[in-house]
Amino acid sequence: MNVYIENIAAHEGQEVTIRGWLHNRRSSGKIHFLTVRDGTGFIQAVMSKAGVSPETFQQADHLSQETSLVLTGTARADSRAPGGFELDVKSLEVVAPAHEYPLTPKEHGVDYLMDRRHLWIRTERQHAVLRVRHEVVNAIRDFFNSRGFILADTPIFTPSACEGTTTLFPVQYFDDTTAYLTQSGQLYNEANAMALGRVYCFGPTFRAEKSKTRRHLTEFWMVEPEMAYATLDDVMTLGEELVSYVVGRALERRARELNVLQRDTAKLERVRPPFPRVSYDEAARILKDKGLPFEWGGDLGGTDETVLSEQFDRPVAVYGYPSAIKAFYMKPDPNRPDVSLSVDVLAPEGYGEIIGGGQRIDDYDLLLQRIKEHNLPQEAFEWYLDLRRYGSVPHAGFGMGVERVVSWICGLEHVRETIPYPRMLYRLYP
Amino acid sequence: MNVYIENIAAHEGQEVTIRGWLHNRRSSGKIHFLTVRDGTGFIQAVMSKAGVSPETFQQADHLSQETSLVLTGTARADSRAPGGFELDVKSLEVVAPAHEYPLTPKEHGVDYLMDRRHLWIRTERQHAVLRVRHEVVNAIRDFFNSRGFILADTPIFTPSACEGTTTLFPVQYFDDTTAYLTQSGQLYNEANAMALGRVYCFGPTFRAEKSKTRRHLTEFWMVEPEMAYATLDDVMTLGEELVSYVVGRALERRARELNVLQRDTAKLERVRPPFPRVSYDEAARILKDKGLPFEWGGDLGGTDETVLSEQFDRPVAVYGYPSAIKAFYMKPDPNRPDVSLSVDVLAPEGYGEIIGGGQRIDDYDLLLQRIKEHNLPQEAFEWYLDLRRYGSVPHAGFGMGVERVVSWICGLEHVRETIPYPRMLYRLYP
């Protein structure tokens, strides 16, 4: 009976067949210990000289790492085994060899590994990261679905830039038309929220970032909720509940993976609402007090975010950024228009911004004025202006980047490990 | 208390506030009947002259379609009401007007509606389609997650073409590099399956199709599962279980929406495993018997698919297509190499191919030969060849297009209504 390693506990004492790859091998002369992986887990298979044919025992002596093989044997509980079970092997079938597998247990440089990303993902550490990613994505979806949000996919091909044009990837569409790859589904989300009340989009977004940092990819996944009849306060509450839920799911369902990654989960256990909420004004004061050369009016840099987040034991929401440094659609505070109804949520431990959002301008005249001030082509935004022409309502939302969140939960140095095939300035292969 | 219309049954007899938009209005002189939508549903609000202030009653007389408004009143059960409830209005607050709303209840042409897609999605019919889409996407994810598949996102930016170059969208990456937008995550899926056992990717894919048909978009969403140690037979079984599950979920949870769309659900109720499985040879015979000018060796055209699917009361799996018309990576039948271990699943009622897949070549030499025969750049496929160099195993998978499935379940004429902002040859706005 074919069994996945992750399900072996249900087959104690039974004869099972495991189909996988050889991960590691050692031998005592009379016993071969084969560590086998099948994608769902790792198990030690014990082959004693007495238990198999002489040919099989000899064959096992020459198996190289990543040989694909089918093992049949008895599942035996063993409290010392990492997964609680071992396999007493009765027969072995080699499916295909793996001569000179290029990823040995020794240390390899990052470029070497990235060039072999399709093989690197076969390691236990990368399995752990990718399973946490899987959990994060599914937790996000479950969170929004259970709250009545409707998934409404926004287009990847867009006719105009959402926020500036310098980091856009243009695509030759048909004939003489240029399309741009989306940087955010937000403008469309707003239209969808006017139609469906509460919506989210969740897809890849693109930024032609020429900078090489450990926090940026050119292609990354973002979830963006948007709510009609909602304010800045509503999105701050939604954001802290989302982040707490996602972290909780990872702790609950991916404890094994976080252990493989040697993550200090005590720091994640603290991630519960409410998050501290700090105005941009206060943030500026804190940074000055810490001796940083920060001036009111500027955006928070990487160091500023790190220093600020170190003041708290959980993510911190910074709200009320200067209107001048936020996107054209951000609603100004009615009591103080130089400040916007915006919020960024910064992850702890220096992982930077994981959420950015706020309340949108709902007044037609003000939005038109902003489009003109930003030298945006009005014609391309006529549909967006329609949302303020016909039954405008207060509305708000945010975006949360998946790779940043996975990187933080896993405790990684660099976002490049958070996605199977990262795309960066000099990285398009494999 | 703010309440969504979809939840109003929990508030019978209570005073509730509904925040939405005016959909329709009629008056008997002493009573205004306001149909209001809030994105989660529609409700009739009854405003009697005696129940509100004279100013409010008069104001309601001049409200135009899509005016945004907040209504407070008592939720009253009424078996004649579509949602089972009406609202007895006590107060009305107009949030913003909607002068000369361009979508009136009269019929509009498709181009007119498509130019105003951001408003068109406010209608009950489009709500229904988009909610079915939401259900389909979530059903697909639940199906794979509950079976132990790991979501592993494949890249949108790819360095080389997966299947031919004529329908690729090139993107200027950085400097002199050209990237192509993915047409399928499959090649990467294969690497992921070797790492994680059973995987799926689910994201937008792109085809620069110059043809205008009712089944094609340039940007569409596709789910693609891939399994290590799997055969053609395994994917045929997986495919029929997936399709049946998705249809079942739509019937179970979106009955109201299918009713709005006047879908004949009896035809959907029949979609249960097993699906009929017809070899390409048999399909060719059937088509010839029906008098169609079909010759063995050709691909099935739209008419062929329709005629074929009409022979059955549920989706039909056509397997064993000629190797010559399938992709380079498709495994030939060992007993008959001119035929491939491939399968397409055709939806009933003429909705065409919804699934395409099969077993992949797992032999290094044969794959290399195919890459050369297809004049593909070997260097770009070295990583893909690695999967056959190091522990190759039999593996198989398929792709299922979301828009085709939604179109079929909803009974739509054209796929353009199945996604919020469809992208086609001449359609990039809004």
Side-chain angles (χ1 to χ4, degrees), chain A residues 91-155:
Chain A
S91 72
L92 158 73
E93 178 206 337
V94 171
V95 178
H99 295 305
E100 296 175 30
Y101 187 66
L103 267 67
T104 56
K106 71 165 189 181
E107 289 276 317
H108 296 287
V110 165
D111 279 343
Y112 184 91
L113 291 169
M114 289 291 283
D115 283 341
R116 291 158 186 84
R117 183 68 177 160
H118 56 295
L119 304 176
W120 189 17
I121 57 172
R122 297 185 180 189
T123 60
E124 191 172 18
R125 179 182 160 83
Q126 297 304 315
H127 284 190
V129 175
L130 294 178
R131 280 170 195 277
V132 170
R133 179 188 175 91
H134 167 94
E135 196 63 45
V136 165
V137 170
N138 288 310
I140 289 169
R141 294 184 175 271
D142 289 347
F143 177 88
F144 288 113
N145 292 341
S146 70
R147 286 163 180 248
F149 283 71
I150 296 293
L151 171 70
D153 295 307
T154 51

Side-chain angles (χ1 to χ4, degrees), chain B residues 202-213:
Chain B
F202 196 169
T205 51
F206 305 88
R207 293 213 186 159
E209 291 271 6
K210 284 209 171 140
S211 57
K212 281 183 77 171
T213 85

Side-chain angles (χ1 to χ4, degrees), chain A residues 91-256:
Chain A
S91 72
L92 158 73
E93 178 206 337
V94 171
V95 178
H99 295 305
E100 296 175 30
Y101 187 66
L103 267 67
T104 56
K106 71 165 189 181
E107 289 276 317
H108 296 287
V110 165
D111 279 343
Y112 184 91
L113 291 169
M114 289 291 283
D115 283 341
R116 291 158 186 84
R117 183 68 177 160
H118 56 295
L119 304 176
W120 189 17
I121 57 172
R122 297 185 180 189
T123 60
E124 191 172 18
R125 179 182 160 83
Q126 297 304 315
H127 284 190
V129 175
L130 294 178
R131 280 170 195 277
V132 170
R133 179 188 175 91
H134 167 94
E135 196 63 45
V136 165
V137 170
N138 288 310
I140 289 169
R141 294 184 175 271
D142 289 347
F143 177 88
F144 288 113
N145 292 341
S146 70
R147 286 163 180 248
F149 283 71
I150 296 293
L151 171 70
D153 295 307
T154 51
I156 308 297
F157 287 137
T158 62
S160 54
C162 176
E163 303 177 47
T165 55
T166 53
T167 57
L168 279 175
F169 283 109
V171 181
Q172 175 82 26
Y173 200 62
F174 292 104
D175 303 327
D176 295 331
T177 309
T178 299
Y180 299 93
L181 298 181
T182 182
Q183 294 194 316
S184 159
Q186 186 212 308
L187 304 193
Y188 294 96
N189 256 351
E190 292 182 48
N192 295 343
M194 302 300 149
L196 297 160
R198 286 160 299 170
V199 297
Y200 69 103
C201 64
F202 197 168
T205 50
F206 305 87
R207 293 214 185 156
E209 292 271 5
K210 284 208 171 141
S211 57
K212 281 183 76 173
T213 85
R214 63 192 181 83
R215 290 181 186 170
H216 289 92
L217 299 171
T218 57
E219 174 186 322
F220 58 100
W221 286 68
M222 186 153 67
V223 62
E224 295 174 84
E226 188 80 22
M227 300 180 285
Y229 287 102
T231 62
L232 171 62
D233 209 58
D234 294 323
V235 292
M236 288 207 275
T237 301
L238 187 73
E240 66 189 16
E241 288 175 354
L242 170 65
V243 170
S244 303
Y245 179 77
V246 168
V247 170
R249 271 275 290 264
L251 286 169
E252 184 191 319
R253 300 196 189 175
R254 298 296 164 183
R256 186 167 65 98

